[in-house]
Amino acid sequence: MSHSRSSPQYSHGHESAVLASHAARTAANSAAYLLPFLEPGMRVLDVGFGPATITLDLAEAVAPGEVVGVENTDAPFETARQNAAARGDERTAFVRGDALNLPFADDTFDVTHAHQVLQHLTDPVRALREMARVTRRGGQLAVRDADYLATHWFPELPELEHWRQTYRQIARSNRAEPDAGRHLRAWARAAGLHNVTISSSNWCYATTEACRGWGESQANRVGGPTFRAQAKAQGVGPDAVDAMVAAWRAWGAHPDATYVIPNVELLARV
């Protein structure tokens, strides 16, 4: 997903390779912890909708209820609307707004959801307070974020470790937290959320098709202009980035390739 945020730069950028990667996310593989709490007729806010694949799944889960997606940049809107049209979804609304100053009244939504958003924000605690503000009393606030430092893979190619180190430096230079998953409980407490449940789940790539697809996706993202420009600002030159790109493709083609991204999930009753 793309991410509504107040940050100097969204670390992933909005190139086609990024949106294509995010489009593989569904409510089943990215919001399963929330699905049991959804009911028909609910009103849901999705903060940082990106290509809207999760957003539109949530809309199906609460139909005939309403889902509103919010983004702070124009880049994902066309893709989101195309995906909605392809499903025949005319209910879901996509609006411009900032996660740190949501353009909605208090107590507007039954559920407020954000997937892979807090890791890109300059003030995730404020974002949680805003999400709680627009959620009605008794409603659910739901957040899921990855932890880059805990991500692991095989074979352990050194160029991929260099990629991770570089990405974490980039994110921190953007005043963001790439290891957000481990911080969710602390951020929730700082935001004044008390009725909180923490869980975790993984994305795991461990089939020939999945690894080849993830390796190619990552190679395209790392080789794109957004990563290259930000890596250069961190002192990482084009030859090193080219080596990362080649390593992603080599990893994806390896017969024993495995890649695991741990995610931490937060459910808070407002």
Side-chain angles (χ1 to χ4, degrees), residues 1-2 18-31 35 46 48-61 67 76 79-84 87 89 92 94 113 115 203:
M1 270 191 176
S2 176
V18 175
L19 290 177
S21 175
H22 292 174
R25 299 172 180 175
T26 66
N29 67 31
S30 300
L35 291 178
D46 191 22
F49 57 78
T53 48
I54 296 175
T55 318
L56 296 168
D57 284 350
L58 298 179
E60 291 182 5
V67 174
T79 299
R81 287 170 178 152
Q82 288 174 350
N83 286 336
R87 296 192 187 203
D89 184 325
T92 301
F94 302 109
H113 167 264
H115 185 261
W203 283 320

Side-chain angles (χ1 to χ4, degrees), residues 162 166 169 227-228 230-241 244:
H162 192 197
T166 301
Q169 290 170 0
F227 185 88
R228 285 185 181 277
Q230 294 183 95
K232 182 178 180 181
Q234 299 301 315
V236 179
D239 290 346
V241 174
M244 296 175 196

